[in-house]
Amino acid sequence: MTVITGYLTAAEQAVTLVAHPDVAAAWQQPSALPEMTVGALAGHLAYQVLSVSAALTAPESTEPPIPLLDHYERAAWIGAPLDSEANAGIRARAEQHGTEGPAPLVTRARAALAEQRGELAKRTGAEAVFLPQTGWALRLDDFLVTRLVELVVHQDDLAASLGWATPEFADDAYDPVLALLSRLATRRHGQGAMLRALTRAERAPGAINVF
């Protein structure tokens, strides 16, 4: 089990979800996320696949990669209010991706994923990937974990938008997400809060939010 195989599994599942006729039928309706339509949410979900193609076709970074947890420590959108510049920008880009409509979006995401299967087979996961949107680099495996988080979380958001249950994910897709979210929650709330949230709900002060 590798991060690469987990990413490919989750990406395929995400594209299949975006392609569902019920998603197209609800495209202009509000999603489960504030100020986002179902089409924008589907566009944001598909973008997670498209962003991997951009990373794989870019030259390998000359900047040394930073640790994965530091990536989230630096991220401007974490903990930012809904109307912040960072979150408004994310929503605007999601709407832009959604404007091409379900069929063209799915076609583009499927084509990107097909190319990625061949390209990722050549990679070890240790390559440095520069992220122009952030200004720093990550190891390829760590970058794919960030995509896995987005793919898993937003598949749940899209399912909730349609009144569906949370999708079931393969272990190779879900386990890296669970590990990262657990580490982020521990960093934010401390070991005691995390331990009690998982084992002693009667002592837990409330929900353990990561983002």
Side-chain angles (χ1 to χ4, degrees), residues 32 41 52 69 139 144-145 154 156 161 168 175 208:
L41 178 54
V52 173
L69 291 185
R139 292 172 63 251
L144 292 178
V145 171
H154 291 309
D156 180 38
S161 301
E168 289 292 319
D175 287 356
I208 298 296

Side-chain angles (χ1 to χ4, degrees), residues 123-143:
R123 305 297 182 101
T124 67
E127 298 86 355
V129 175
F130 183 74
L131 310 179
Q133 69 272 28
T134 65
W136 57 79
L138 292 173
R139 292 172 63 251
L140 176 59
D141 268 356
D142 287 343
F143 173 66

